[in-house]
Amino acid sequence: MKTIKNITSCLFLFILFSAIQGCTLFGLDMQEDYDRKPNTLNPNLNKTAWQYLKERATGSTVNDQIFSRMLEGIQYAEIDSNEYKKPGRTYILLHNDAINRATTPPTDCFFGANMVNAKPATAWSSYPKEFVKRYFEYLILEGEYSHYTLPVIEAVKANTTAPAGSLVSLPAGITRHSTAPFVPNPESKMSLRVLNSSPSNTSDYPVQLNGTRNVRTSSLLATNGVVHVIDRFLSTTMPD
């Protein structure tokens, strides 16, 4: 009996060795060495910031309507679309979630953070046009700021197109939710830096704005500058 077991074991090892030598096992090819070549996503949009915004605001699918509320705000405030075509700028684009969200209360979006008569707004028309215009001007920076140009860790203070002195007070009837208190920004500047950490498994070393808001999709390269996309409210308050 012991001899039969030894013969059986030797036969099994012989078959296994033969399969390995033949690079097959039970009809399956053995895995070969693979020289993995990592690919970096192409950040080039090959279009202006305005073209990108408009195409992703007026498309036929939900995924191509993510800037629809921002476009509505631009049109309501009567902002010239040429402002999004000028070269050498950084454009902060607002995903719909950055403007209005289904959370209760929606305090981390523009309509929820900027309350009208102590209640969240429901439309851009709830606000004075000048207030909306100044906020959108604040989201356009003079100069190109991205992962390719920002220094490591160190914060940079950038000039925006909002006029100095235009962000020192809120209009009558407009108040900020307690989670996003208003602090005057007399120079209308914005702070940017690249974090030296990965706060989530979907965000590696993100660009952070004003010390609080991490960019959702960063460093997209338009033909006329840099595009960053955020999906939560960005306060105009500069960090200390």
Side-chain angles (χ1 to χ4, degrees):
M1 179 66 71
K2 185 174 182 180
T3 301
I4 294 175
K5 287 183 178 179
N6 289 337
I7 294 174
T8 302
S9 299
C10 290
L11 182 60
F12 174 77
L13 291 174
F14 175 77
I15 294 173
L16 179 61
F17 179 76
S18 298
I20 293 174
Q21 288 292 95
C23 297
T24 60
L25 183 61
F26 305 115
L28 301 176
D29 291 336
M30 295 290 289
Q31 181 173 335
E32 299 179 359
D33 290 338
Y34 179 69
D35 184 14
R36 180 178 180 274
K37 296 179 180 180
N39 294 315
T40 301
L41 294 177
N42 186 356
N44 293 289
L45 297 175
N46 299 314
K47 61 191 69 175
T48 66
W50 176 250
Q51 287 176 296
Y52 178 62
L53 188 161
K54 193 171 182 181
E55 287 177 7
R56 300 299 300 276
T58 59
S60 58
T61 66
V62 173
N63 192 47
D64 284 327
Q65 297 170 1
I66 61 173
F67 300 135
S68 60
R69 285 189 175 274
M70 182 174 186
L71 183 60
E72 290 171 2
I74 291 171
Q75 294 169 339
Y76 170 69
E78 299 179 352
I79 298 172
D80 188 345
S81 62
N82 286 319
E83 291 298 321
Y84 293 88
K85 301 174 185 177
K86 294 181 179 180
R89 289 179 165 184
T90 298
Y91 300 92
I92 313 297
L93 302 190
L94 302 179
H95 186 283
N96 289 339
D97 287 347
I99 298 169
N100 193 28
R101 300 185 68 230
T103 55
T104 306
T107 56
D108 56 357
C109 63
F110 188 92
F111 287 177
N114 295 283
M115 299 185 295
V116 180
N117 298 322
K119 295 181 179 179
T122 56
W124 289 114
S125 57
S126 302
Y127 303 105
K129 286 188 177 182
E130 190 71 8
F131 175 64
V132 177
K133 182 178 181 180
R134 294 305 179 216
Y135 185 70
F136 279 109
E137 288 175 338
Y138 183 71
L139 300 179
I140 302 177
L141 284 60
E142 298 288 4
E144 298 186 17
Y145 300 94
S146 70
H147 281 96
Y148 307 100
T149 61
L150 287 168
V152 179
I153 304 176
E154 180 183 353
V156 172
K157 291 183 179 180
N159 292 320
T160 71
T161 60
S166 64
L167 302 173
V168 295
S169 62
L170 294 172
I174 308 298
T175 56
R176 280 282 182 80
H177 191 272
S178 59
T179 58
F182 178 79
V183 177
N185 184 348
E187 295 183 323
S188 300
K189 290 182 178 291
M190 185 184 296
S191 170
L192 304 93
R193 67 169 179 156
V194 177
L195 291 186
N196 64 340
S197 62
S198 300
S200 71
N201 61 1
T202 60
S203 179
D204 289 331
Y205 309 101
V207 172
Q208 188 179 75
L209 309 176
N210 284 347
T212 58
R213 182 61 59 221
N214 293 346
V215 172
R216 170 173 172 160
T217 304
S218 61
S219 303
L220 299 175
L221 304 181
T223 55
N224 64 318
V226 175
V227 171
H228 298 301
V229 180
I230 58 176
D231 60 0
R232 297 292 185 272
F233 173 63
L234 173 65
S235 171
T236 57
T237 300
M238 283 279 289
D240 295 332

